[in-house]
Amino acid sequence: QVQLVESGGGLVQAGASLRLSCAASGRTLSSNAMAWFRQAPEKERDLVAAISGTGGRTYTADSVKGRFTISRDNAKNTMYLQMNSVKPEDTAVYYCAARSSYSSSSVFRTWSDYDYRGQGTQVSVSS
């Protein structure tokens, strides 16, 4: 049973930094693409950033480009999202997701591409 557990969320002021972590257990995901999504109240779930299995390829949404960085440490079976200069509009529940099949060099952009999903961590940014 694969589990993804997010951590690092919280309440911060605009302009602050946060680092979210997504720890995987039950299976090594070092060759599997992963991603961060977020969902704000009464809004659709959106892709924030995605990363290939090796970490060599990434995608970042325009809304967070230049502020957020996705990375992974395959030795720790963990993915990260470094969030800098956060804004109130970044307030959302952040979810991590991973594919069950190997995809060392590709990134995937839709929620349905991912087979494993975490429970989410709340990020709230005050102005």
Side-chain angles (χ1 to χ4, degrees):
Q1 182 87 11
V2 175
Q3 284 193 318
L4 301 178
V5 179
E6 302 96 337
S7 62
L11 173 63
V12 296
Q13 289 189 329
S17 295
L18 281 173
R19 189 175 80 156
L20 304 184
S21 299
C22 172
S25 62
R27 176 184 169 183
T28 298
L29 297 176
S30 58
S31 296
N32 303 64
M34 300 182 73
W36 288 98
F37 291 82
R38 69 184 181 185
Q39 187 167 20
E42 301 182 355
K43 292 190 176 181
E44 294 184 353
R45 186 182 295 112
D46 293 326
L47 176 68
V48 177
I51 190 166
S52 63
T54 62
R57 185 174 179 182
T58 62
Y59 168 84
T60 306
D62 288 343
S63 59
V64 302
K65 195 168 292 182
R67 300 187 297 121
F68 292 9
T69 303
I70 189 171
S71 63
R72 64 191 299 164
D73 184 339
N74 285 339
K76 296 182 178 179
N77 220 21
T78 301
M79 176 179 65
Y80 304 98
L81 184 69
Q82 179 65 43
M83 306 168 62
N84 297 330
S85 303
V86 295
K87 303 175 180 180
E89 51 263 44
D90 295 322
T91 294
V93 177
Y94 284 71
Y95 300 92
C96 69
R99 286 176 59 85
S100 61
S101 57
Y102 295 137
S103 46
S104 60
S105 60
S106 300
V107 296
F108 299 84
R109 301 186 184 186
T110 62
W111 184 250
S112 61
D113 288 328
Y114 294 89
D115 307 288
Y116 309 126
R117 291 91 176 249
Q119 293 299 307
T121 185
Q122 176 71 47
V123 172
S124 299
V125 183
S126 63
S127 57

